[in-house]
Amino acid sequence: NKTLAGLVGGPILTVAISPLFHFALPELSLPELLLAAALLAVLGSAGDLIASAIKRAARVKDFGTWVPTHGGVLDVYDSLIFVAPFFWAFLSYYRVR
């Protein structure tokens, strides 16, 4: 249930609080900002699931041990690494500089 709650609640909360961070991307309209938040939330979950599938296929539990208690460096940043190119493309499409 915790995973399902995060999968559903995470994107809802991300979109709900995204207007609070409008100062960081004032070039985006509110609908564009909400769309960006939704994309980031969904793609972030996808990145985490893809990283888990890679680890499962490789039969490893974590991506290294450099960050104690976090399961490895890539485990901390797997969603960010996956989302970054999509977010760059989104911002490029809306010509945010």
Side-chain angles (χ1 to χ4, degrees):
N1 286 339
K2 185 171 72 169
T3 301
L4 181 59
L7 188 63
V8 174
I12 291 170
L13 184 61
T14 300
V15 171
I17 67 168
S18 64
L20 297 175
F21 298 95
H22 191 251
F23 69 90
L25 292 168
E27 300 90 350
L28 294 179
S29 67
L30 184 57
E32 292 167 347
L33 184 69
L34 295 174
L35 177 61
L39 286 172
L40 291 175
V42 171
L43 292 173
S45 294
D48 192 44
L49 291 172
I50 289 169
S52 294
I54 292 169
K55 288 188 299 186
R56 199 170 298 115
R59 294 191 172 110
V60 297
K61 184 178 180 333
D62 298 320
F63 282 133
T65 57
W66 288 0
V67 181
T69 72
H70 282 95
V73 174
L74 287 179
D75 289 319
V76 175
Y77 297 110
D78 53 6
S79 295
L80 179 63
I81 291 167
F82 185 79
V83 165
F86 293 100
F87 191 52
W88 175 84
F90 180 89
L91 294 177
S92 295
Y93 178 78
Y94 286 103
R95 296 185 195 97
V96 174
R97 306 217 187 259

